[in-house]
Amino acid sequence: VGIVQDITARIAQEQEYSRLIDTANAPIFGIDLEGLVNVWNKNASDVTGFTTEDVMGRHLVNEFITEDYKERVQEVFRNALNGVETANFEFPLVTKMGTRVEVLLNATTRRDEQKHVVGVVGIGQDITARINQEQEYARLIDAANAPIFGIDRDGRVDVWNQCAARLTGFGGEEVAGKRLVEEYITDDYKARVQEVFTKALAGEETANFEFPLVTKAGARLEVLLNATTRRDAQNRVTGVVGIGQDITAR
């Protein structure tokens, strides 16, 4: 006895999904359980220069990821194959021209109709231009003729430009990760400076606030500060940046 099942609608839906993936304005790729490419949409081809025919059946991590990221990308895919998905993971793809494209990736577990894991699908975003812009901003900040520093949400230093290093005598490596208020602000100003930073972390910025920094030589450096809230690409507060002016001589 033969039992027939009409799967016309399912096939039509799968074909529609395939068209949506191929025409999506984002690089989308898929790998099987062995890490071999089995999905590669038009945008992925546009971004990397590799056609679908170029990449199909080849090992994505081994052949298209830069050496410094192979292990981390493999871990993301390994997690996805175990059902642990990853969002907003940044990694570089190697293009056909040998250049590096920065991709922001969401890695999702792929399953068949029986819910068995069959691979991973990655939906990406080309953030190369954004990364280049951030690097340019970092160069401008580092070379600025004004002391500029940044702290994270815990008050630890994560930006310290050359001018800040020259004025205080502390190099960037010395201050990175240290609590700015606790270690570099004079006791009589700790509470007030902390209040300025706390407000900036809550979105309330402060202009022309005067406070002293302690230099490596133990001297007191008077700074006029603008404290600005730092936000990420999703507009979430990530810390504070301070742009200062040395007013000691004044």
Side-chain angles (χ1 to χ4, degrees), residues 46 61 94 142 206 217:
D46 293 340
V61 172
V94 179
D142 197 48
T206 299

Side-chain angles (χ1 to χ4, degrees), residues 157 160 165 168-179 183-184 216:
V157 177
W160 193 263
T168 64
F170 291 108
E173 299 79 11
E174 293 178 90
V175 299
K178 292 186 177 178
R179 293 186 182 276
E183 302 203 36
Y184 302 104
K216 194 169 187 176

Side-chain angles (χ1 to χ4, degrees), residues 149-151 155-160 164-165 167-190 193-194 197 211-223:
F149 59 84
I151 58 169
R156 298 184 184 279
V157 177
D158 56 3
V159 174
W160 193 263
L167 289 174
T168 64
F170 291 108
E173 299 79 11
E174 293 178 90
V175 299
K178 292 186 177 178
R179 293 186 182 276
L180 181 67
V181 173
E182 292 176 15
E183 302 203 36
Y184 302 104
I185 306 298
T186 59
D187 288 337
D188 54 330
Y189 267 80
K190 277 182 173 30
V193 173
Q194 185 59 61
F197 291 159
F211 77 102
L213 273 172
V214 179
T215 71
K216 194 169 187 176
R220 183 173 164 132
L221 182 72
E222 299 294 335
V223 175

Side-chain angles (χ1 to χ4, degrees), residues 37-55:
V37 177
N38 56 10
V39 173
W40 192 263
N41 78 339
K42 184 178 183 301
N43 190 269
S45 296
D46 293 340
V47 167
T48 65
F50 288 109
T51 66
T52 304
E53 292 75 19
D54 289 333
V55 300

Side-chain angles (χ1 to χ4, degrees), residues 7 9 19 41 50 60 73 121 127 129 133 136 140 165 171 179 202 209 212:
I7 58 171
R19 282 192 294 271
N41 78 339
F50 288 109
L60 181 66
V73 174
V121 64
I127 57 169
Q133 185 181 57
E136 177 62 19
L140 289 172
R179 293 186 182 276
F209 174 72

